[in-house]
Amino acid sequence: MKKWTKEIEINAPIEQVWKFLDGSVENMQQIMPQVVENKPIKITEEVVGSVYRQKYREGKRTEEYDIETLEYSNASNEKKLKVGFTLAKMFEITALYELNKINDNKTSFTYTVTNRPLKWFVKLFLLFATDKVVVEFLERVKNVAEAETGR
């Protein structure tokens, strides 16, 4: 299993950053443009255990998978969302988004991804995997949130 954790400071209020992770599909698409649909399948009162069917477009191909909410907290100073899904029956992936309020206009965003291969031959691909995608995602969230604040 591979695991990447990266952190970035964003010059935007915590609620503004959070809405891209825990909001409408339109908001989510601003930071994840490949997501074309995010439909609730099972919603729980405590959020954990909720399942969404997500469609994701990569080039001309569209993948569909169910994303389950594994952890969720939405306090005013810190927020956490952890989801898990299986991609193409080959990888079990978790994504953990953690936001911490530094002050009214600054948020710390930590993103942790795990990727566990489900087939022996896929393990080879992970040998060459880097944190490039994780770093690019953090930069995109920062740019989108800061652009909206005008910072």
Side-chain angles (χ1 to χ4, degrees):
M1 179 170 81
K2 279 268 197 167
K3 181 178 182 177
W4 298 272
T5 300
K6 293 287 177 192
E7 186 179 344
I8 197 167
E9 273 190 18
I10 300 174
N11 294 309
I14 192 169
E15 292 297 336
Q16 189 165 319
V17 181
W18 183 240
K19 77 175 187 182
F20 296 111
L21 301 166
D22 188 43
S24 68
V25 73
E26 292 79 20
N27 283 340
M28 187 187 294
Q29 285 172 328
Q30 290 184 58
I31 60 167
M32 300 178 213
Q34 304 91 334
V35 173
V36 290
E37 192 176 277
N38 193 47
K39 207 167 40 181
I41 300 298
K42 175 181 139 192
I43 301 297
T44 64
E45 234 176 87
E46 57 282 343
V47 183
V48 172
S50 294
V51 178
Y52 291 83
R53 176 135 321 131
Q54 199 168 82
K55 286 187 180 171
Y56 183 92
R57 184 170 296 124
E58 191 68 54
K60 291 182 179 166
R61 209 174 74 240
T62 301
E63 286 283 335
E64 186 176 277
Y65 42 85
D66 291 348
I67 295 185
E68 182 178 359
T69 304
L70 305 171
E71 286 181 45
Y72 185 86
S73 63
N74 187 359
S76 60
N77 289 338
E78 57 180 45
K79 299 172 184 307
K80 184 188 286 190
L81 173 64
K82 182 177 184 178
V83 296
F85 60 97
T86 300
L87 184 61
K89 297 185 179 110
M90 290 205 223
F91 297 100
E92 198 173 82
I93 297 171
T94 66
L96 172 62
Y97 312 101
E98 295 173 284
L99 300 179
N100 287 291
K101 181 177 179 175
I102 296 171
N103 61 40
D104 286 349
N105 297 307
K106 194 174 279 203
T107 303
S108 168
F109 176 30
T110 306
Y111 180 47
T112 303
V113 179
T114 64
N115 189 329
R116 188 169 70 85
L118 299 175
K119 304 210 181 332
W120 67 269
F121 58 88
V122 188
K123 289 180 181 173
L124 297 171
F125 292 112
L126 281 186
L127 293 175
F128 304 104
T130 67
D131 64 1
K132 180 177 178 250
V133 173
V134 175
V135 171
E136 287 173 354
F137 177 71
L138 284 174
E139 290 291 336
R140 189 164 47 248
V141 173
K142 178 180 174 67
N143 292 338
V144 168
E146 290 180 356
E148 195 171 90
T149 345
R151 288 194 169 84

